[in-house]
Amino acid sequence: MKAFKRHLAELPAYPYSHHRAPIKLDQNESPYDLPPELKAELAERLRSLPLNRYPEMDAESLVRQIAAFEGWPEEGVVVAAGSNVLLTALALAARRVLDLVPSFSLYKWSAKITGTPWEGVPLGPEFELPTTALRVHLEDEEEPGVFFFPNPHAPTGRFWTPEVVRALADVAEKSGWVMVVDEAYYQFAPADFKRHAKELGQVVISRTFSKAWGLAGIRLGYFLTTPELAAEVRKLLPPFRVPTPTAVAAELAMAHPGYLAEVVEKIRRERERVYLELKAHPSWRVYQSHTNFLLVRTPDAEAAFNGLLQKGVLVRRMDDQPGLEGCIRVTVGTPVENDAFLKAAFELAEESGAQRQG
Ligand SMILES: *Cc1c(COP(=O)(O)O)cnc(C)c1O
């Protein structure tokens, strides 16, 4: 590929491989689709959409509705077909990217494809926040960049209080860094960072319709930030970028947010149940989570992944990142799906126990 930029030569593909299984717990999707009455209304609205026309340049009416929903100034809202698109745009703009290890793998991937210098600071052995090391980077005023901080954290499920995040954001702001607080899972956590972000000039909150809202298929994410930062991010994005059906689906969901609280409550309850039951597993260790997934450390991620898959349960291997040796990640599904996962997990333990004895 001589015609392509040199930095793309050693580029890894985005780390995701597709598998089929009756029970799909590998992508942190909601197990619940849009409620049937909303789905019917969506179909009705789609029927009358003029698909021959372009959507609005910056999805202005959708932006207005998100701004109202979030209580955030319109000028500070940026939307795209998935928060992934927005996060990659920020990596493109950044002089350098500061990341955690492990973290949401999209941040590093975005830095790599855009040719942006990347540095990762390891979490502690129990995924503690490396505050001192982070401060050293964030105090660098000579060459500030963009710091990606998922909270609750993916893929560990850990949550840091707004006060802890604020302390880092204050350091970042002083030296000109932009801090992205990625709140893809905030609905499942005890608190969010919005109130603090309002007081800060260099923070971006990233949110998505892909997880709690149960709308991963429509592809929609957004930033809440300052008008100045929002304007800079918009410059990097293609015009007319939110497909009309996507905007219509999101507007409909936001107009009927009642289902969201119900779904979140069910998933939180199930998450705690699966966590407690899995704690009794003889060879796996489950980590506490404030998201819709659980990180599990096993003696051998490949064996756990394949064993579960053979029993019809698809999870995600996470052992490609330093600090996640042996780890798999399992999405919290419906009670029936979670039972199938738990059953498979304990059967695997019995089978390997029997093997050791025999
Ligand atoms: C799932 C997820 C997203 C969502 O990305 P979309 O492109 O909006 O689907 C963003 N950040 C993290 C940490 C996630 O886990």
Side-chain angles (χ1 to χ4, degrees), residues 26-352:
D26 68 330
Q27 280 191 293
N28 300 346
E29 298 149 323
S30 172
Y32 304 107
D33 199 344
L34 211 54
E37 61 285 4
L38 291 186
K39 203 87 182 278
E41 168 137 15
L42 177 59
E44 202 50 48
R45 288 198 198 179
L46 288 177
R47 206 193 307 279
S48 57
L49 274 186
L51 293 179
N52 57 323
R53 302 296 177 194
Y54 274 101
E56 292 171 313
M57 161 106 168
D58 279 311
E60 285 83 353
S61 35
L62 174 63
V63 161
R64 267 195 300 280
Q65 205 178 336
I66 291 174
F69 183 82
E70 293 282 17
W72 197 270
E74 260 171 64
E75 308 74 43
V77 178
V78 192
V79 291
S83 52
N84 282 354
V85 175
L86 296 163
L87 297 164
T88 303
L90 263 190
L92 174 69
R95 287 192 192 177
R96 54 192 280 214
V97 161
L98 182 63
D99 201 354
L100 301 167
V101 180
S103 197
F104 183 39
S105 48
L106 180 99
Y107 309 141
K108 185 174 181 184
W109 176 86
S110 295
K112 295 293 168 193
I113 65 159
T114 56
T116 310
W118 175 93
E119 261 169 300
V121 178
L123 299 179
E126 294 293 314
F127 308 134
E128 302 91 339
L129 199 59
T131 313
T132 313
L134 286 171
R135 289 179 81 107
V136 170
H137 286 281
L138 294 173
E139 278 165 2
D140 181 354
E141 306 176 13
E142 295 298 309
E143 191 77 350
V146 173
F147 172 35
F148 288 102
F149 187 87
N151 197 39
H153 183 258
T156 66
R158 270 201 78 140
F159 170 75
W160 291 290
T161 63
E163 291 68 33
V164 168
V165 182
R166 177 65 187 255
L168 284 175
D170 284 336
V171 177
E173 173 137 327
K174 236 194 214 154
S175 42
W177 281 76
V178 168
M179 181 164 171
V180 181
V181 184
D182 184 345
E183 294 191 329
Y185 303 99
Y186 80 95
Q187 293 97 337
F188 304 105
D192 68 34
F193 198 60
K194 207 158 70 173
R195 186 173 60 77
H196 289 279
K198 275 206 176 128
E199 300 169 2
L200 292 157
Q202 296 271 96
V203 164
V204 175
I205 289 187
S206 179
R207 292 186 171 181
T208 180
F209 283 85
S210 300
K211 306 289 160 58
W213 286 99
L215 290 169
I218 71 168
R219 305 303 295 123
L220 187 69
Y222 58 93
F223 277 175
L224 305 175
T225 185
T226 63
E228 295 72 26
L229 264 167
E232 289 305 307
V233 174
R234 270 186 223 110
K235 284 185 202 167
L236 304 169
L237 299 167
F240 319 111
R241 64 188 165 278
V242 178
T244 313
T246 296
V248 168
E251 284 166 6
L252 186 68
M254 278 186 289
H256 301 87
Y259 80 92
L260 186 65
E262 258 172 65
V263 165
V264 167
E265 188 44 41
K266 271 197 269 198
I267 291 176
R268 279 193 196 212
R269 249 199 326 265
E270 278 294 291
R271 177 188 71 206
E272 291 315 298
R273 177 177 77 89
V274 176
Y275 170 75
L276 288 175
E277 291 198 28
L278 209 54
K279 268 172 80 158
H281 196 283
S283 55
W284 293 6
R285 174 176 174 201
V286 58
Y287 293 90
Q288 194 133 44
S289 166
H290 292 92
T291 63
N292 67 341
F293 62 80
L294 291 160
L295 185 74
V296 183
R297 200 181 292 272
T298 77
D300 179 345
E302 187 180 4
F305 174 88
N306 287 329
L308 289 168
L309 192 58
Q310 268 166 19
K311 295 175 186 294
V313 182
L314 178 59
V315 299
R316 185 85 171 259
R317 274 180 74 169
M318 280 292 147
D319 57 319
D320 61 320
Q321 290 199 58
L324 296 183
E325 293 76 14
C327 287
I328 57 170
R329 188 194 69 192
V330 55
T331 306
V332 179
T334 64
V336 170
E337 290 172 330
N338 300 333
D339 283 343
F341 162 70
L342 287 166
K343 181 163 175 283
F346 282 93
E347 279 174 10
L348 287 177
E350 264 179 38
E351 287 161 17
S352 73

